């Protein structure tokens, strides 16, 4: 009997232990060289185009840039008043538990930098794979700059995946010397969160032409009502004979101190068929509000909490003024005043930048998602309940030009229970492209976002908008509607050339909801009043929310026919049969993108990197 | 401005490229040494207690052992007639796609061994992480022995996870020279599958006492009916005055050639309250069968396709004979004859090994799972539909002794759609222990398996049995019942000391099923006949299986109250209220075990290992 095996080793003088020892020494040498090498390639300060203060006092200031070819973000963190270090990181919704952290800590003499993570109890651990790569640290008169880099995806399950959309950044300041990472007590730390879109699109801001003018559409020193939700309406008139212009940019004007109260603002243009509109300055739901104001629904500009200035692409601008265009505008401001402040005065609004040099296309805004109706509801106690609104092939067939439209920006909108929003373009039953997606959506950060890629939509395409809600803190069903505690699922898409289609949204057929309430009555032996004469919200509030009633509602929303709102303005439908329409069928879903993992040399050892920062102060 | 960074490297004469080159050389040296070192520790031939032929001719014979401390299986594969190599591996259900493979291949001059995987199209790829570790290869007069090892879990997503329960082994013979792994055309290969329980428990077979006798309970040269499903009944009488004995082992006796027809066999003891039973030899559902045979339902021994000899633990045996025990036995054989063979004769049955030296405890068998009723049904076209049967706290409270029972073996049972079966013990609403689990369950391999750990069950405990079915090849609903195309969800647990509880199973309340059919009628505008006067299977066959009807049925099975069969024998319930019982609630689930990954040195490079096998024959 003869033994065959692998070829014998050509260097038999090595023993296993010796080789292992050399192996680890080599890795260590390799890594030190790597850090030094990377420091040489660290980007300079001017290379960080995006900047945001992390804390309200501005002690921590984050700048960053995005390298799409390398699939990585380079951070520059300015620490104005370094004490004994800080935590910086990312987590699902800004919580300090289950967070992915870069930590700088000092025991007073020695300082260290490391990639760490916090568990569900907030305890810190050194990460077995070090993915916040330190590029350098430098002292400047204004403070200490830390430069580090992070790949979008690290393939380490403990790490946060940096995706398009909102990222909840967290920070914490170490005010006492720390002897080890594990000794940091996260609950005792002064810290907070800041929401940003880290992966900004690679788009250059178009230059404004020299004939650009500005106009402010602002509230006239309004006293904000001392109630939680107010929609304030204020009518504005353009000068007589004001010719057609293109709005090419706009930005919010917020009265100082009211930043937390102004929830969203829109400027609507009134219908051209009326020669004049009455002036008005008061709540939109007041009985005193003239009925004619209901004909002021064409969106000119929209801003919501967290958004910045908005620039139109060079090919397009929003038309206003001129023939066939009303001189009357309605400013609508949603004041959200949960602490019921009294007597707060406000002159917020929107500043329009416009030009008489018309661009090639008129731009428009279209509303996708769900109709504002209590038919679409979310049971209480759900951690991720999904509702979907459809813009059907039949509607785009009717309303879009043969050459299609180009969507270039999108603003996602829900009320307080919204956690994720995504719109997908589907053609012939196959999902083709994500229009806009935010997996860490926050109703407190509703920017209008330029799309990374312009989306072409043709007649017959479908636009499917899906919202995910969390109602774990609620004891009653949350129904669709206008109130801040009711819900919406909307994507305002900005596109050109403008069409008549202003609203392409859906809701479940009401008849199926009645059958559902009937079923709840039959399957639940409890005595609940599901009398058909009471309102839908009242019926929802009577449902005993057991697993069966939840599952059936969920299933029904994915099955029942829909009523389409394929509207020219929110009151006028395109001609056609829009009731009891079949749900669009999807035969092929978009693949989840496969995370792109960092290339070799592979994981670095789980050891902190010492930094020479000198003696740190001890208060 | 001053730059601070990591400490400078202590060996600055190394350049990055040099270090990288040394690094990889070191790794290579390390791995070669590792392979040589492992060869030294390869187990010898006598160390492989389990053996199974892979192919029907016995050209490939697999032996193996299990190292629980190392969480690895050592394989010895004997290839009697090596041509140009072979594939050996594992896959979910024995398919050649998405399989995890060890491949030995030769181009005629050079031979290689490697860890590979096949994609969904059956194309082979070298695995980036080599987890089938070659331990050695040796030639012997009977053929070539390949020795290799595989960790239960490799943490490589391309690899199969070796779990308790059935493993589908696959093999393929390379009959032509192969120039690369990628060149292997899997569809042209002569191959097959063999089912085994790889992770056999570490239990030593008890020695049989010297006074052991045997008795064969076999069919008297029966002509197997030429129909798909037959349950054959044959009455056997023990000698008069036969005293109490303990059955301590039994094994199947299968008539040669009928191995594929005998689906399962059981020996039942008749009720002691009747002095005599009529003799009978015929189908169990015949009108000629004496009614009294319905009182022969106490299981003495059970065997099903794929099982081997069964040994009782040293503390227990199954009582038969003596006072208060009937002399009459009923043998029941389930013949499964799908090809409708005519005139096949059969004398199969069970050989009992028994002793007069009574052991400490009488052993018993208890049926857990679902009642055989069409109320529990699976819609067509489902890839993984789940049904659950409960043995409730109320029943164990009524029927089990205060000191509890010990379950030492288990036989899982479904009909042809069954894909997974698991029974979990729950106490105070918290899942505590898996009784038996098979995630790759096959109805063609229903062994009685000794448990790795004896499970103690006390009054008030719950035993929850969950079955997963695949009905993708069916166009009609599959209802519960006795036929091979109907379904069962059963776990026969073997335990001691014996109690009166023979059957602890559940089914959904029938009233709720009627409400379901009613709902289907109301929500589906199609004209379907769901008339209450027709049978449950007929009503199920009228359901239009859209997503809503599927979801609601699924949800109802997880919500509706149950009817408990807490029975002394399958016809007599324990006294109590067993209708419309609440479903057991689970507040805490068992954690999925975290896969234990192989320790350093980490992944080996994705390169085949050359083997010196000399020139291989070219036919």
């Amino acid at each position: 009997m003869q033994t065959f095996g692998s070829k014998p080793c050509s260097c038999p003088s090595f023993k296993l232990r010796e080789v292992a020892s050399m192996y680890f020494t080599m890795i260590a040498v390799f890594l030190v060289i790597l850090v030094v090498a990377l420091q040489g390639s660290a980007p300079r300060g001017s290379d960080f185009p995006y900047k945001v203060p992390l804390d309200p006092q501005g002690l921590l200031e984050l700048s960053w840039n995005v390298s799409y070819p390398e699939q990585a973000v380079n951070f520059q963190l300015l620490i104005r008043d370094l004490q004994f270090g800080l935590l910086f990181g990312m987590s699902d919704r800004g919580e300090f538990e289950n967070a992915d952290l870069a930590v700088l800590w000092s025991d007073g003499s020695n300082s260290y930098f490391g990639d760490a993570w916090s568990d569900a109890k907030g305890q810190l651990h050194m990460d077995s794979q070090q993915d916040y790569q330190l590029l350098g640290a430098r002292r400047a008169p204004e403070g200490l700059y830390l430069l580090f880099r992070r790949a979008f995806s690290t393939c380490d399950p403990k790490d946060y995946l940096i995706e398009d959309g909102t990222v909840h950044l967290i920070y914490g300041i170490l005010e006492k010397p720390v002897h080890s990472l594990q000794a940091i007590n996260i609950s005792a730390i002064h810290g907070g969160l800041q929401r940003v879109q880290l992966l900004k699109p690679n788009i250059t801001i178009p230059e404004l032409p020299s004939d650009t003018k500005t106009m402010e559409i602002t509230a006239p020193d309004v006293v904000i009502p001392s109630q939680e939700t107010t929609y304030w309406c204020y009518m504005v008139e353009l000068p007589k004979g004001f010719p057609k212009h293109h709005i090419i940019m706009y930005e919010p004007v917020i009265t100082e101190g009211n930043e937390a109260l102004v929830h969203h603002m829109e400027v609507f243009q009134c219908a051209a068929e009326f020669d004049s509109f009455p002036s008005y300055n008061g709540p939109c739901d007041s009985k005193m509000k003239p009925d004619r104001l209901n004909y002021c629904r064409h969106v000119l500009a929209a801003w919501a909490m967290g958004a910045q200035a908005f620039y139109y692409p060079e090919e397009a601008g929003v038309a206003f003024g001129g023939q066939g265009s009303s001189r009357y505008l309605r400013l609508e401001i949603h004041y959200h005043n949960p602490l019921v402040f009294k007597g707060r005065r406000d002159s917020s609004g929107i500043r329009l930048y416009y030009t008489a040099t018309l661009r090639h296309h008129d731009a428009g805004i279209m509303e996708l998602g769900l109709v504002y109706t209590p038919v679409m509801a979310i049971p209480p106690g759900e951690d991720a309940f999904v509702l979907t609104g459809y813009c059907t092939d039949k509607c785009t067939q009717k309303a879009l030009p043969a050459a299609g439209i180009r969507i270039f920006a999108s603003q996602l909108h829900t009320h307080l229970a919204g956690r994720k929003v995504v719109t997908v373009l589907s053609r012939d039953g196959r999902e083709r492209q994500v229009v806009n997606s935010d997996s860490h959506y926050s109703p407190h950060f509703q920017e209008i976002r330029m799309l990374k890629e312009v989306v072409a939509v043709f007649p017959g395409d479908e636009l499917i908008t899906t919202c995910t809600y969390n109602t774990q803190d609620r004891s009653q069903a949350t129904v669709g509607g206008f109130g801040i505690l009711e819900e919406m699922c909307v994507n305002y898409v900005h596109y050109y050339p403008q069409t008549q289609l202003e609203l392409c949204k859906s809701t479940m057929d009401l008849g199926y909801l009645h059958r559902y309430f009937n079923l709840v009555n039959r399957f639940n032996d409890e005595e609940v009043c599901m009398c058909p004469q009471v309102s839908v919200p009242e019926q929802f509030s009577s449902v005993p929310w057991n697993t069966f009633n939840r599952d059936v509602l969920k299933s029904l929303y994915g099955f029942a026919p829909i009523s389409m709102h394929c509207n020219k303005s929110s009151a006028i439908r395109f001609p056609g049969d829009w009731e009891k329409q079949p749900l669009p069928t999807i035969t092929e879903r978009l693949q989840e993108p496969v995370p792109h993992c960092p290339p070799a040399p592979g994981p670095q050892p789980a050891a902190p990197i010492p930094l020479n920062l000198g003696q740190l102060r001890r208060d």
Side-chain angles (χ1 to χ4, degrees), chain A:
Chain A
M1 196 186 295
Q2 201 191 337
T3 302
F4 298 86
S6 306
K7 284 178 186 165
C9 171
S10 59
C11 47
S13 62
F14 283 117
K15 288 204 182 116
L16 190 61
R17 211 169 53 187
E18 285 170 19
V19 172
S21 156
M22 285 183 66
Y23 169 90
F24 288 113
T25 307
M26 284 296 111
I27 288 184
V29 169
F30 189 66
L31 291 176
V32 170
I33 290 182
L34 192 80
V35 168
V36 173
L38 279 172
Q39 278 195 306
S41 72
R44 281 157 304 139
S46 61
D47 293 339
F48 300 102
Y50 314 119
K51 190 190 284 189
V52 75
L54 289 184
D55 60 315
Q57 294 104 302
L59 295 174
L60 299 172
E61 194 176 88
L62 182 76
S63 313
W64 76 97
N65 69 42
V66 183
S67 168
Y68 285 100
E70 295 170 300
Q71 297 273 297
V73 181
N74 294 302
F75 293 100
Q76 177 183 265
L77 184 58
L78 167 61
I79 308 156
R80 287 190 200 278
D81 182 25
L82 180 63
Q83 299 183 43
F84 291 92
L86 88 161
L87 318 176
F88 166 81
M90 304 174 251
S91 68
D92 181 26
R93 309 202 60 79
E95 62 285 354
F96 276 77
E97 296 77 29
N98 299 315
D100 180 9
L101 296 160
V103 186
L104 173 69
W105 76 97
S106 170
D107 58 12
S109 319
N110 300 306
S111 303
Y112 302 93
F113 177 91
D115 182 353
W117 56 280
S118 64
D119 61 23
K121 290 173 178 162
Q123 174 62 50
L124 290 193
H125 305 271
M126 202 67 192
D127 206 338
S128 62
Q129 191 177 314
Q130 295 284 296
D131 291 298
Y132 281 104
Q133 264 182 283
L134 186 66
L135 302 178
R138 64 182 166 91
R139 283 211 185 272
E142 62 272 27
L144 176 76
Y145 284 96
L146 269 190
L147 274 74
F148 50 97
R149 152 185 290 232
R150 172 63 153 65
F152 297 171
S153 159
T154 65
C155 296
D156 175 352
K158 299 289 182 214
D159 283 351
Y160 182 90
L161 174 68
I162 303 176
E163 294 171 292
D164 285 347
T166 308
V167 176
H168 289 74
L169 301 177
I170 53 177
Y171 67 90
I173 293 169
L174 300 179
E175 292 164 329
K176 288 177 191 164
V178 167
H179 292 275
S180 76
L181 187 82
Q182 289 71 22
I184 296 174
N185 177 2
I186 221 165
S187 63
I189 280 177
H190 167 71
L193 76 89
Q194 175 66 289
R195 297 182 185 92
V196 298
Q197 181 193 23
L198 271 188
L199 303 190
K200 299 275 188 194
N202 256 342
I203 292 167
T204 45
I205 289 173
E207 249 179 76
L208 299 183
S210 54
D211 64 350
T212 303
K213 293 178 182 164
T214 65
M215 177 190 295
E216 289 192 2
I217 315 286
T218 51
D221 199 23
V222 159
V223 178
I224 299 177
S226 54
Q227 61 191 31
E228 182 160 339
T229 300
T230 302
Y231 279 75
W232 193 269
C233 278
Y234 175 58
M235 293 297 289
V236 175
E237 199 178 334
L238 295 179
K240 274 190 185 151
F242 186 77
K244 179 172 176 178
H245 286 80
H246 266 161
I247 301 171
I248 55 173
M249 173 198 164
Y250 58 84
E251 61 187 8
V253 183
I254 311 272
T255 300
E256 214 178 306
N258 291 349
E259 290 82 358
L261 297 176
V262 179
H263 185 269
H264 74 250
M265 303 185 288
E266 290 185 81
V267 176
F268 297 96
Q269 191 159 39
C270 299
E273 58 259 45
F274 299 98
D275 284 340
S276 75
F277 280 81
S279 63
Y280 182 71
N281 182 34
C284 299
D285 60 355
S286 164
K287 286 176 189 164
M288 306 295 288
K289 191 188 76 166
D291 283 347
R292 187 166 286 184
L293 267 54
N294 293 334
Y295 292 90
C296 303
R297 291 177 170 276
H298 174 73
V299 177
L300 272 193
W303 171 92
M305 205 175 258
Q308 292 179 316
F310 185 77
Y311 293 83
Y312 283 86
E314 280 168 325
E315 307 90 304
V318 170
F320 84 138
Q323 281 293 322
S325 156
S326 174
R327 288 196 302 115
Y328 295 89
L329 307 179
R330 177 167 66 91
L331 171 68
E332 182 177 302
I333 306 184
H334 176 185
Y335 292 113
H336 175 48
N337 184 6
L339 298 176
V340 200
F341 291 123
K342 284 179 188 161
R344 281 285 189 101
R345 295 189 160 269
D346 185 67
S347 302
S348 298
I350 288 179
R351 184 181 298 121
L352 305 173
Y353 290 71
Y354 61 98
T355 170
T357 318
L358 295 184
R359 291 180 166 184
H360 194 62
H361 294 294
D362 288 350
I365 300 177
M366 190 190 301
E367 258 188 62
L368 306 175
L370 284 178
V371 177
Y372 309 141
T373 159
V375 169
M376 303 307 293
I378 305 140
E382 294 280 342
D383 68 333
F385 196 88
V386 171
L387 292 179
T388 300
Y390 301 90
C391 175
T392 59
D393 51 351
K394 191 168 167 183
C395 179
T396 59
Q397 196 77 58
K398 273 261 160 68
L400 297 190
I405 57 168
R406 304 286 177 278
I407 301 178
F408 58 87
S410 152
Q411 182 191 15
L412 308 175
H413 180 66
T414 73
H415 285 169
L416 298 179
R419 294 292 179 272
K420 292 174 200 266
V421 185
V422 59
T423 297
V424 172
L425 171 78
S426 167
R427 187 172 296 148
D428 304 324
R430 284 157 58 200
E431 292 185 350
R432 305 295 176 121
Q433 197 176 355
V434 171
V435 176
N436 192 9
S437 166
D438 196 341
S439 297
H440 305 275
Y441 172 85
S442 167
H444 306 295
F445 189 54
Q446 303 186 6
E447 295 180 300
I448 297 177
R449 291 187 180 141
M450 296 302 287
L451 302 187
K452 293 196 166 59
E453 225 178 310
V454 167
V455 177
V457 185
F458 297 98
D461 286 356
E462 292 165 327
L463 291 160
I464 302 174
T465 302
T466 300
C467 294
T468 305
Y469 300 94
N470 181 303
T471 57
Q472 286 181 299
D473 58 349
R474 303 188 181 188
S475 57
Q476 289 284 320
T478 299
V479 295
F482 289 91
I484 191 78
L485 289 174
E486 297 172 332
E487 270 305 334
M488 293 189 172
C489 177
V490 179
N491 185 353
Y492 298 98
V493 292
H494 297 244
Y495 71 97
Y496 64 83
Q498 190 176 25
T499 70
Q500 286 198 294
L501 185 63
E502 274 198 13
L503 209 142
C504 191
K505 310 204 295 185
S506 72
T507 173
M508 184 175 75
D509 177 74
L510 180 62
Y512 274 75
L513 186 66
H514 286 314
R515 294 189 206 179
Y516 171 74
F517 289 134
N518 203 293
L519 173 161
V520 167
N521 259 345
R522 287 170 166 267
F523 270 84
N524 297 274
D525 301 328
E526 303 168 51
E527 286 296 322
V528 288
C529 173
M530 310 249 45
C531 338
Q533 66 273 24
V534 305
S535 70
V536 165
E538 280 174 289
Q539 291 198 79
F540 267 121
S541 74
S542 308
V543 173
W545 289 111
N546 54 45
T547 58
F548 183 66
N549 292 337
R550 287 170 195 275
D551 287 352
V552 173
L553 183 65
K554 215 175 288 180
S555 187
L556 196 62
Y557 283 140
F559 168 76
I562 53 178
S563 161
M564 269 305 298
H565 287 211
C566 180
N567 291 12
K568 294 182 184 183
S569 72
S570 46
I572 302 162
R573 286 185 177 183
F574 276 83
D577 187 9
W578 302 110
E579 295 305 324
K580 286 205 197 304
Q581 298 296 296
L583 280 185
T585 49
I586 300 294
T587 54
E588 198 182 303
R589 303 251 163 221
L590 276 178
Q591 295 288 314
E592 283 285 313
V594 177
H596 175 93
C597 299
Q604 302 179 19
I609 297 178
L611 285 184
N612 184 2
L613 299 177
Q615 184 94 13
L616 291 183
R617 68 164 188 186
R618 190 181 290 259
D619 289 325

